[in-house]
Amino acid sequence: MPVCILSQIGNILTLCCSYFYLEFRDVMSHGRSSSHVRSHKKLHGWSPDQNQWNEKLYPFWEKGDPRWKDCWRGGKVVARLNSDSPALVGSNVTFTVTLHFPRCQIEDNDSNIVYDRNCRNDSSDFPDQYVYNWTMWIDDCGWENCTSKNTHNVFPDGRPFPHHPGWRRKNFVYLFHTFGQYYQKTGGSSAIVSINTTNITLGKQMMVVSVYRRGHRMYVPVATASGIYVVTDQIPLYVNLSQKNDRKASDSIFIKDSPIIFDVKIHDPSHYLNNSAISYKWDYGDGSGSFISNSPISNHTYTLQGNFSLNLTVQAIIPVPCGPATPTPPLPTSPVTTIPPYNLDSPISAGVMEDAPDGGCHIYRYGHYKTTISIVEGILQVNIIQMTSVQMTVAQGENSLVDFVVTCQGSLPTDACTIVSDPTCQVSQNVVCDPIEVTDQCLLTIRRAFNEPGTYCVNITLGDDASQALTSALISVNGGSSSRTVEGVLIASGFLVALVIIVSLLLYKRYKEYKPIEKRAEQAVNREGLSVYFNNVKAVLFPGNNERDPLLKSKPGIV
């Protein structure tokens, strides 16, 4: 880039010009502060951003330059940059760039950009099949001049494109920049790059990518993107908590006297810890002591109600090549030391090596998880203890009425739902949900109507704010308006497991979490509103099947 200065000495005008060469850091900073004075450790396969940039072949446009508007036919290309961060130091972090073209434009099998004939734009008229027919450019040799020494097939720093199979069909150039270094590669409408994080400083880092497309005489910038990624010395992890009959795991409220399953998920997409020895130390916060396991899955039963602080420490013993200890910056330099093999009380990750008895060396890393959970009484079990056919006169209608006498253990329920399905318990026919009032003991009668004789699978669910439990039965309703009978059998526990899954899918499919009653402080107890809610549930799930007054409340104790 020439920089000229016009000066005058007496009556003589002098024009002095010098050339200023762009560097990668000038282009890739995109207005951000560049790292001119900072020194960085070398990333494998990356180059320092002090290298010169070929601006003639790869023009550099500042943000807001009007040339951006004409860099792509038919609209704007958007580059989306994603990573699998956070990354444990020493592992790999992977970045994926995906190009999103204007509407109705796609990449074909030859890496050309074409109009999608199945898509219709505003005018429904495509001027040509191709947006960019790069195959024709290559086949006609107009762009490459049919020479193997073509100066166009080079990156901005002058290095030639790698000649892997199909390299001539890679019509985009991706330029990645982070940590004072850059990486360049060709590709189609997406590109993937991985970095080993051993030499990257802990904390948040910025990745910037610029994308150029093939042009007739030069490459044309089409999109830029940037994103934050995180390198940490703490093992990234999260814990899934689940419990039978728990209504909503995300609220951290669970049921007393029922085991809670804790499933630890370590975020390790590059499989850095595959050969590590991993231990899990649990403190459930209820005075039961510490528990150490080599399994990521554990369970614990709380026998008291209240709030408990759950603590988990994960230790990974990572095998590494023996050599001088290299603590992760900015941790202080430490000599080679020996750490107890089950020192799970370390508050931070240790970045030092230990000589193992087997002659190898190891690094210790730790991860931590802490949360507070609440333990409540909850509904533990529901049972149908009796099923009775209600005799009706002809004048009372053609429906068969069946009374289900239901008991439960644990806390008193506040709502009841009945799902009537086919004999396989897979095709739902009707669902009815209503609030209930149980003040003394959990014993209630639920009356339901059946329009036709036949065999039905009946699922009854009782719930409160924190829990829900279910029971199921197969019943056979016989014909005869004045002499209808009912025979029932409770479903075996093995079959009930499958039914629980089906019922859960039905109730959760539209509502994410089935929660017929949700009490809030500002709502108090609004039975009318609850009834409207349950009617809406029924109308959404079964719009064509409106049972006529299914809950006969004229008798005390019957719902």
Side-chain angles (χ1 to χ4, degrees):
M1 177 185 297
V3 178
C4 300
I5 300 176
L6 182 64
S7 59
Q8 181 176 2
I9 302 177
N11 295 328
I12 301 175
L13 293 175
T14 304
L15 181 65
C16 297
C17 295
S18 60
Y19 282 85
F20 168 72
Y21 293 99
L22 284 177
E23 296 180 351
F24 270 78
R25 58 188 174 188
D26 301 316
V27 176
M28 301 300 295
S29 62
H30 291 286
R32 303 178 184 87
S33 58
S34 57
S35 33
H36 284 268
V37 297
R38 295 177 60 187
S39 59
H40 300 286
K41 289 189 176 181
K42 171 74 173 173
L43 301 179
H44 180 70
W46 290 57
S47 303
D49 60 6
Q50 295 92 340
N51 289 350
Q52 291 184 2
W53 176 283
N54 185 343
E55 188 181 10
K56 182 178 180 182
L57 189 59
Y58 290 84
F60 168 55
W61 300 341
E62 294 280 1
K63 184 178 180 181
D65 192 305
R67 288 175 291 183
W68 282 106
K69 297 180 180 180
D70 300 321
C71 68
W72 189 269
R73 296 173 187 168
K76 180 181 179 181
V77 175
V78 177
R80 290 197 171 95
L81 175 64
N82 297 301
S83 77
D84 56 11
S85 162
L88 179 63
V89 62
S91 68
N92 291 343
V93 58
T94 299
F95 301 87
T96 302
V97 184
T98 304
L99 299 182
H100 295 262
F101 303 113
R103 187 171 180 269
C104 299
Q105 296 184 13
I106 59 175
E107 185 181 38
D108 68 7
N109 295 332
D110 294 324
S111 299
N112 297 309
I113 308 301
V114 299
Y115 289 103
D116 183 3
R117 295 297 175 179
N118 295 324
C119 174
R120 290 292 177 265
N121 58 14
D122 295 337
S123 62
S124 298
D125 182 23
F126 298 110
D128 187 13
Q129 175 185 355
Y130 292 95
V131 182
Y132 291 100
N133 187 357
W134 287 307
T135 299
M136 181 184 67
W137 297 3
I138 296 173
D139 292 342
D140 291 345
C141 299
W143 195 81
E144 298 183 338
N145 298 323
C146 297
T147 64
S148 59
K149 298 181 180 180
N150 186 354
T151 57
H152 289 85
N153 292 322
V154 295
F155 290 110
D157 62 0
R159 298 179 188 177
F161 292 165
H163 290 191
H164 50 71
W167 69 275
R168 295 180 185 273
R169 305 292 180 183
K170 306 297 183 181
N171 299 304
F172 294 94
V173 176
Y174 293 84
L175 304 158
F176 296 84
H177 182 259
T178 189
F179 214 58
Q181 297 162 68
Y182 69 90
Y183 184 85
Q184 49 197 6
K185 68 179 301 184
T186 58
S189 57
S190 64
I192 299 176
V193 167
S194 295
I195 308 175
N196 185 271
T197 59
T198 299
N199 291 332
I200 295 183
T201 304
L202 300 180
K204 295 181 179 180
Q205 304 293 342
M206 174 73 74
M207 173 65 77
V208 178
V209 61
S210 293
V211 185
Y212 283 71
R213 68 164 173 85
R214 191 187 294 272
H216 282 285
R217 295 180 179 85
M218 61 182 182
Y219 288 88
V220 180
V222 294
T224 62
S226 61
I228 298 292
Y229 64 100
V230 177
V231 178
T232 176
D233 62 349
Q234 301 284 310
I235 300 173
L237 60 89
Y238 64 96
V239 181
N240 281 333
L241 283 71
S242 61
Q243 184 186 50
K244 179 184 177 182
N245 296 342
D246 180 51
R247 196 160 202 167
K248 185 180 180 182
S250 60
D251 63 4
S252 298
I253 300 176
F254 297 92
I255 306 168
K256 181 175 74 74
D257 296 326
S258 179
I260 303 174
I261 298 176
F262 305 91
D263 188 0
V264 183
K265 304 292 185 182
I266 294 178
H267 180 70
D268 184 29
S270 67
H271 309 293
Y272 174 63
L273 300 177
N274 271 13
N275 297 321
S276 303
I278 302 178
S279 300
Y280 305 83
K281 179 183 178 181
W282 296 92
D283 184 347
Y284 299 106
D286 59 352
S288 59
S290 298
F291 173 72
I292 297 177
S293 170
N294 293 326
S295 172
I297 300 176
S298 69
N299 66 79
H300 184 72
T301 301
Y302 289 85
T303 58
L304 299 175
Q305 299 184 55
N307 297 324
F308 300 93
S309 179
L310 173 69
N311 287 275
L312 166 67
T313 300
V314 178
Q315 174 185 271
I317 306 176
I318 308 169
V320 295
C322 293
T326 54
T328 302
L331 297 178
T333 303
S334 302
V336 175
T337 59
T338 300
I339 301 175
Y342 284 98
N343 180 20
L344 295 181
D345 296 316
S346 174
I348 62 172
S349 287
V352 296
M353 289 190 299
E354 176 199 20
D355 294 329
D358 59 4
C361 294
H362 301 90
I363 287 180
Y364 289 78
R365 297 293 181 193
Y366 297 88
H368 304 276
Y369 174 83
K370 183 177 182 179
T371 190
T372 299
I373 61 176
S374 298
I375 303 299
V376 299
E377 182 72 21
I379 303 173
L380 298 177
Q381 187 176 358
V382 176
N383 293 298
I384 300 174
I385 62 174
Q386 185 178 348
M387 292 178 287
T388 306
S389 176
V390 180
Q391 298 297 326
M392 299 181 62
T393 64
V394 177
Q396 289 178 307
E398 294 296 325
N399 288 348
S400 295
L401 296 181
V402 179
D403 284 348
F404 299 87
V405 181
V406 180
T407 64
C408 66
Q409 298 178 9
S411 61
L412 297 179
T414 56
D415 58 83
C417 280
T418 304
I419 296 178
V420 178
S421 307
D422 71 333
T424 67
C425 300
Q426 296 183 5
V427 180
S428 299
Q429 299 175 357
N430 184 270
V431 61
V432 177
C433 295
D434 272 277
I436 58 176
E437 293 184 6
V438 180
T439 57
D440 187 10
Q441 58 180 338
C442 187
L443 177 65
L444 67 153
T445 300
I446 299 176
R447 179 169 292 179
R448 290 295 181 256
F450 297 86
N451 296 330
E452 299 176 353
T455 302
Y456 299 91
C457 173
V458 178
N459 163 260
I460 296 177
T461 302
L462 301 183
D464 60 12
D465 287 340
S467 61
Q468 61 183 13
L470 63 86
T471 186
S472 299
L474 286 175
I475 67 170
S476 178
V477 178
N478 297 327
S481 60
S482 61
S483 61
R484 294 182 186 268
T485 61
V486 59
E487 296 179 356
V489 60
L490 297 181
I491 297 177
S493 59
F495 187 72
L496 184 59
V497 173
L499 180 62
V500 169
I501 299 174
I502 296 170
V503 171
S504 300
L505 289 175
L506 172 68
L507 294 177
Y508 282 71
K509 182 177 182 181
R510 297 192 180 214
Y511 296 97
K512 304 294 184 184
E513 291 169 282
Y514 163 56
K515 192 172 183 181
I517 290 184
E518 181 175 283
K519 292 183 179 178
R520 298 186 178 90
E522 67 271 19
Q523 288 180 332
V525 179
N526 189 336
R527 292 297 179 185
E528 180 179 356
L530 291 174
S531 298
V532 172
Y533 173 80
F534 287 121
N535 290 336
N536 290 339
V537 172
K538 173 184 170 184
V540 171
L541 292 178
F542 301 93
N545 190 359
N546 294 321
E547 185 177 345
R548 295 193 297 272
D549 194 17
L551 300 182
L552 304 182
K553 300 180 181 178
S554 58
K555 286 188 178 182
I558 298 179
V559 295

